[in-house]
């Protein structure tokens, strides 16, 4: 995140902080972390504020708003593009599609994102002050330049599986994870429609990884963006892959329909080892049959049985005007 702060401070925030909280001292020269990649000298406003660049308080404020803005814009942009170009609009006529579902999904996500951002700031501040293993120059060994990608995916996939599965424990589910399972037939806008603590808990492996293992700074930023996009893609209802390895949208559809299957984020490995894998039926990969009445009737019957077992009373209000009991 130091690279992001260097850029934003130089072009925008040095001046903003200098105007809001001016200092009479002369400008201070700061070491630019971004200078390892590009030549970006500090702005003329650097050091002219009572809150210097290296103030943890200033860094925390800046990172909170940047994380909130980045999260909201990425969510809205990616979800909207997915909804327009990928999502099958016929899903909105599914018997278990909710009344005003899309506005409710967006509202839930936009309320959760700033709270998740606030909870994430301590990780970023610790990274900024040298407590992580993020690096910008030489990897631990040459091959690690490439190995860090699959290593990151493997670590986070393992950790998220167990966090997600724990959230389905009866003592936790109803107050923490149930808000995300409100969406039986999710749209891309459901991707961040979490309870804030739920979204934060499932994001923790991404932030814990660089405290345990080396990770190049630019790779960290790229993976952060990738994870955000991936979360949207597994909620888009487009069953693009039949891969027995990739935990794609078809697998995640079953998780929303039937609750106790396919907890994984990227792969099916831990679901297979943990006995929670459910292979999507072939009918889901046929555009005609996946939206057919026979498929939907089968989904509804099993989903209603599972909801009674997991939640007791179904409090959702569906597009057909029916509130299940």
């Amino acid at each position: 995140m130091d690279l992001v702060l260097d850029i934003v401070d130089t072009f925008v925030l040095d001046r903003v902080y200098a105007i809001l909280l001016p200092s009479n001292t002369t400008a201070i020269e700061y070491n630019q972390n971004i200078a390892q990649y590009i030549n970006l000298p500090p702005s003329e406003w650097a050091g002219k504020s009572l809150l210097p660049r290296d103030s943890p308080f200033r860094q925390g404020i800046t990172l909170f708003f940047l994380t909130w803005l980045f999260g909201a814009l990425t969510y809205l942009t990616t979800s909207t593009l997915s909804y327009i170009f990928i999502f099958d609009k016929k899903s909105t006529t599914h018997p278990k599609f909710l009344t005003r579902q899309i506005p409710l999904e967006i509202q839930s996500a936009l309320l959760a994102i700033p709270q998740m951002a606030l909870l994430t700031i301590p990780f970023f501040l610790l990274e900024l002050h040298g407590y992580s293993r993020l690096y910008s120059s030489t990897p631990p060994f040459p091959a690690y330049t490439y190995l860090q990608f699959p290593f990151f995916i493997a670590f986070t996939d393992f950790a998220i599986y167990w966090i997600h599965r724990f959230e389905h424990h009866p003592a936790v589910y109803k107050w923490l994870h149930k808000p995300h399972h409100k969406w039986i037939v999710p749209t891309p806008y459901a991707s961040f429609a979490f309870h804030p603590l739920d979204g934060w808990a499932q994001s923790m492996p991404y932030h814990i990884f660089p405290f345990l293992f080396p990770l190049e700074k630019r790779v960290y930023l790229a993976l952060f963006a990738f994870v955000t996009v991936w979360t949207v893609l597994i909620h888009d209802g487009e069953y693009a892959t039949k891969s027995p390895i990739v935990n794609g949208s078809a697998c995640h559809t079953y998780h929303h329909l039937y609750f106790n299957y396919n907890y994984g984020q990227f792969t099916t490995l831990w679901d297979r080892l943990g006995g929670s894998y459910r292979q999507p039926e072939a009918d889901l990969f046929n555009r005609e049959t996946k939206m057919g009445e026979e498929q939907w009737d089968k989904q509804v019957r099993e989903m209603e049985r599972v909801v009674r077992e997991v939640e007791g009373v179904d409090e959702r209000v569906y597009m057909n005007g029916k509130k299940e009991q």
Side-chain angles (χ1 to χ4, degrees):
M1 285 298 168
D2 54 358
L3 307 181
V4 174
L5 285 184
D6 278 350
I7 294 171
V8 176
D9 279 336
T10 299
F11 290 106
V12 180
L13 293 183
D14 280 339
R15 184 167 187 170
V16 170
Y17 281 108
I19 292 172
L20 294 178
L21 293 167
S23 170
N24 293 326
T25 60
T26 58
I28 299 172
E29 289 295 324
Y30 286 96
N31 292 325
Q32 298 282 90
N33 293 289
I34 194 71
Q36 299 168 76
Y37 302 105
I38 59 174
N39 183 23
L40 186 66
S43 71
E44 63 178 296
W45 300 90
K48 293 185 177 181
S49 169
L50 291 174
L51 281 179
R53 280 191 178 189
D54 54 7
S55 162
F57 182 65
R58 168 173 164 171
Q59 291 170 338
I61 293 173
T62 301
L63 286 169
F64 168 67
F65 284 104
L66 287 179
T67 306
W68 181 0
L69 182 64
F70 173 82
L73 288 178
T74 305
Y75 160 72
L76 289 171
T77 302
T78 310
S79 298
T80 300
L81 290 173
S82 178
Y83 180 79
I84 293 172
F85 296 108
I86 299 176
F87 180 69
D88 192 331
K89 310 305 184 294
K90 192 176 179 182
S91 295
T92 62
T93 64
H94 191 286
K96 295 302 178 183
F97 199 81
L98 304 187
T99 301
R100 299 187 64 251
Q101 178 166 318
I102 292 176
L104 289 172
E105 289 172 334
I106 296 172
Q107 179 186 52
S108 176
L110 293 182
L111 287 173
I113 287 171
Q115 297 176 71
M116 289 189 285
L118 185 63
L119 292 168
T120 304
I121 297 311
F123 290 104
F124 291 156
L125 286 175
L126 288 171
E127 291 165 7
L128 281 172
H129 291 272
Y131 292 97
S132 75
R133 302 188 66 185
L134 290 169
Y135 67 91
S136 56
S137 54
T138 306
F141 53 91
Y144 195 78
T145 300
Y146 308 100
L147 292 176
Q148 61 187 317
F149 291 93
F151 191 21
F152 175 90
I153 296 297
F155 175 85
T156 54
D157 197 44
F158 164 78
I160 291 171
Y161 172 82
W162 290 108
I163 292 170
H164 191 178
R165 186 160 186 170
F166 171 74
E167 290 181 345
H168 278 259
H169 189 282
V172 177
Y173 172 80
K174 288 189 177 181
W175 69 269
L176 181 63
H177 195 50
K178 183 179 177 180
H180 187 60
H181 274 275
K182 182 176 184 176
W183 330 111
I184 300 297
V185 182
T187 77
Y189 293 107
S191 53
F192 285 83
F194 288 105
H195 186 294
L197 284 176
D198 181 3
W200 175 75
Q202 293 197 57
S203 73
M204 276 202 299
Y206 310 135
H207 304 296
I208 291 173
F209 182 90
F211 288 92
L212 299 177
F213 309 104
L215 190 65
E216 206 271 331
K217 292 178 179 180
R218 291 173 298 179
V219 171
Y220 179 51
L221 293 174
L223 287 170
F224 192 68
F226 164 74
V227 166
T228 304
V229 174
W230 180 264
T231 304
V232 172
L233 293 179
I234 62 174
H235 290 87
D236 66 13
E238 180 59 34
Y239 312 134
T241 176
K242 295 182 182 180
S243 170
I245 299 173
V246 178
N247 182 70
S249 182
C251 288
H252 204 66
T253 288
Y254 271 16
H255 180 72
H256 276 266
L257 281 170
Y258 309 131
F259 290 62
N260 298 320
Y261 303 97
N262 302 344
Y263 299 105
Q265 180 77 351
F266 299 113
T267 77
T268 63
L269 173 63
W270 294 105
D271 280 300
R272 291 176 182 277
L273 294 176
S276 54
Y277 176 64
R278 180 162 174 172
Q279 182 177 355
E281 298 177 8
D283 285 352
L284 288 185
F285 299 96
N286 184 312
R287 191 165 292 277
E288 295 180 2
T289 58
K290 82 170 187 176
M291 295 293 180
E293 290 188 13
E294 181 179 349
Q295 179 67 233
W296 283 1
D297 288 344
K298 184 166 54 175
Q299 291 174 358
V300 166
R301 285 195 301 272
E302 183 172 355
M303 169 264 165
E304 290 178 348
R305 176 182 61 78
V306 173
V307 167
R308 285 193 295 270
E309 292 174 357
V310 174
E311 298 181 358
V313 177
D314 187 354
E315 300 172 336
R316 300 167 184 81
V317 179
Y318 300 101
M319 282 285 287
N320 59 16
K322 184 180 179 183
K323 182 175 180 178
E324 298 296 339
Q325 302 296 327

